[in-house]
Amino acid sequence: MALVTDGWNDLLVSNEGGIVTVTINRPKALNAINMELMKELEAFFEGLKDAPEADVIILTGAGERSFVAGADINEMAVMDSQTGRGWALLGERVTSLIERAPQPVIAAVNGYALGGGCELALACDFRYASANAKMGQLEAKWGINACFGGTQRLSRAVGAPMAKELLYTARAIDADEALRIGLVNRVLPDKESLMAAAIATAKAIQGSGKCAVRYTKLLVNDGRDMPIDAAIAAEAQYFGLCFDDPEQKARMTAFMNKSKK
């Protein structure tokens, strides 16, 4: 199945040589999440399982001001316990699809990444941020808890004590603090340099073996919740599978031939 790049209402999708940029495109609402957007994200990331032409995904927001400013409060304000749980389950499906996408997913965080926006970024493999980024889980301010996996992924990213402080106080942090605590990998001056850095890293990833990268992602993700002996055993299993990949044979042969010259 080919990668779907057209026909989205709230997403802009482009594929440049296997580097797929997915832009959340609701700039007038600071790219805030609503039901339609979440269903489009679910459909897009579900489709990546059958999109061999996609090597690396970059997830970002339209404009300079916001990655995703959070969920649409107008939609949430009328929820009851049943509809609230359904909303949370949808968000958890989307973030799980992002986290478990076969391809590496880089979050390019431009501006606000709050609430559900922070949770979308946390589901990515790693995060780059522009200098104007503001990140945080503000849900407790509205009398709710984070519900797209934020209570779990934030603590895994920055450690439980720091995550608890940010979750309990509903405090947003700037890009420099996000870098200091390990929430983001790099801080870039502006949106242009942010996207350039994300694309450069995506190209570097393309320089590695596709199966090797995908197996590594699986091992890192799954190994977090496994006993270390089982995780290391899985590592050996996937290492063996690499040798069934024609690309691996070609890469190793090319290296040996080059070294003989």
Side-chain angles (χ1 to χ4, degrees), residues 113-115 118 134-141 154 158 161-178 180-181 183:
L114 304 173
C118 189
K134 293 283 186 182
M135 303 182 71
Q137 301 294 157
L138 308 189
E139 288 89 348
K141 183 180 294 187
L154 184 60
V158 304
M162 179 60 72
K164 288 177 180 179
E165 178 190 335
L166 294 175
L167 289 161
Y168 297 169
T169 62
R171 179 169 68 90
I173 61 175
D174 62 21
D176 288 338
E177 185 171 359
R180 179 179 62 79
I181 67 174
L183 183 54

Side-chain angles (χ1 to χ4, degrees), residues 62-174:
E64 302 282 341
R65 298 174 60 196
S66 185
F67 174 74
V68 170
D72 189 328
I73 297 296
N74 291 323
E75 282 193 359
M76 286 202 299
V78 297
M79 290 179 180
D80 57 22
S81 60
Q82 183 174 353
T83 55
R85 183 172 183 271
W87 172 246
L89 291 173
L90 172 61
E92 289 171 3
R93 288 197 301 273
V94 171
T95 52
S96 180
L97 284 167
I98 295 171
E99 186 172 56
R100 299 201 168 273
Q103 304 84 352
V105 184
I106 304 169
V109 179
N110 51 305
Y112 297 116
L114 304 173
C118 189
E119 290 172 299
L120 289 175
L122 281 165
C124 298
D125 289 277
F126 52 88
R127 294 153 289 283
Y128 289 174
S130 57
N132 70 331
K134 293 283 186 182
M135 303 182 71
Q137 301 294 157
L138 308 189
E139 288 89 348
K141 183 180 294 187
W142 313 117
I144 54 178
N145 58 269
C147 68
F148 292 176
T151 61
Q152 304 307 306
R153 293 191 181 96
L154 184 60
S155 61
R156 285 167 167 77
V158 304
M162 179 60 72
K164 288 177 180 179
E165 178 190 335
L166 294 175
L167 289 161
Y168 297 169
T169 62
R171 179 169 68 90
I173 61 175
D174 62 21

Side-chain angles (χ1 to χ4, degrees), residues 91 145 220 239 246 251:
N145 58 269
V220 173
F239 178 76
R251 283 174 172 271

Side-chain angles (χ1 to χ4, degrees), residues 60-61 63-64 108-110 128-132 188-200:
T60 193
E64 302 282 341
V109 179
N110 51 305
Y128 289 174
S130 57
N132 70 331
L188 290 306
D190 51 36
K191 176 73 177 288
E192 182 178 359
S193 55
L194 170 69
M195 296 307 297
I199 290 168

